[in-house]
Amino acid sequence: MANVGIFCATAGGTSLKIAQQLAKAFNVEEEDFINMEEDFDAVEQLLPYDVLFIGSSTWGQGDVHHEWVDPQLDIESDGIDFSGKKIALFGAGDSVKHGEHFCSALGKLYKTFFEAGASIVGFVDANDYNYKFSLSQIEDKLCGLAIDEHNEKEKTQTRIENWIANLKKEIF
């Protein structure tokens, strides 16, 4: 089994909810489950893992959660290499109130990790969502699991379960 780590920044708790289900599904130990607000110190914490589940809510004009800003800049400016690592992205957004930036934080994280050499897994069908624009959309897919607890709460659990089932096929 690959060495799996979960790194999650959340404000309203939705990304944390996804992270907890990932931890259970992939038997991730407590020390490998990093709450960015409480347990994250440096980008080097990401490096020992073969598989990373990266979570962030989307803020403002499609920005990553504030706890991801410095690590993202460090990865980009220091040229940190994520070659050989599989990364799955997940997060929360509001497709109505912020439909013009729906879960765009995932797209920004995708760019950072992809350009650092990572293999991004866990794409989902964009046609299952209703929004105006998202940086997370690549062709007809979103580059990770996007959850909208504000407007599509009834779809959340099914989306998480389907995504986890697909990840198990893609990663292992």
Side-chain angles (χ1 to χ4, degrees):
M1 185 82 138
N3 189 10
V4 179
I6 298 173
F7 290 77
C8 179
T10 190
T14 301
S15 296
L16 185 60
K17 175 181 175 178
I18 301 165
Q20 289 166 337
Q21 290 187 51
L22 285 165
K24 184 176 179 183
F26 290 93
N27 298 313
V28 175
E29 300 292 330
E30 188 175 333
E31 64 268 12
D32 298 316
F33 186 119
I34 308 300
N35 180 326
M36 297 293 289
E37 291 128 316
E38 299 171 7
D39 306 318
F40 188 79
D41 297 315
V43 171
E44 289 72 25
Q45 284 177 269
L46 297 162
L47 299 178
Y49 299 99
D50 305 311
V51 176
L52 290 160
F53 296 129
I54 304 291
S56 177
S57 50
T58 296
W59 287 87
Q61 302 298 307
D63 295 323
V64 296
H65 185 282
H66 64 89
E67 292 294 337
W68 273 113
V69 173
D70 287 341
Q72 188 178 23
L73 290 173
D74 290 345
I75 292 166
E76 293 171 358
S77 65
D78 296 347
I80 296 172
D81 187 12
F82 283 85
S83 297
K85 298 186 184 307
K86 291 183 180 180
I87 294 180
L89 304 167
F90 63 93
D94 185 327
S95 64
V96 175
K97 188 175 179 183
H98 301 290
E100 72 283 0
H101 299 293
F102 179 61
C103 287
S104 283
L106 301 181
K108 292 181 178 186
L109 290 168
Y110 169 88
K111 182 180 182 288
T112 297
F113 285 105
F114 181 78
E115 290 180 358
S119 174
I120 311 298
V121 298
F123 284 63
V124 299
D125 188 352
N127 293 318
D128 188 38
Y129 296 84
N130 186 20
Y131 56 91
K132 292 178 188 167
F133 177 79
S134 178
L135 290 174
S136 69
Q137 184 171 342
I138 300 169
E139 296 179 11
D140 62 344
K141 303 281 186 188
L142 298 180
C143 64
L145 178 64
I147 294 296
D148 182 351
E149 283 278 275
H150 302 283
N151 305 293
E152 298 182 330
K153 188 173 186 153
E154 73 284 355
K155 294 182 178 182
T156 296
Q157 192 56 40
T158 300
R159 284 178 172 161
I160 294 170
E161 289 170 5
N162 290 342
W163 190 62
I164 287 172
N166 287 332
L167 284 175
K168 286 183 176 185
K169 295 174 193 169
E170 270 189 272
I171 294 171
F172 302 106

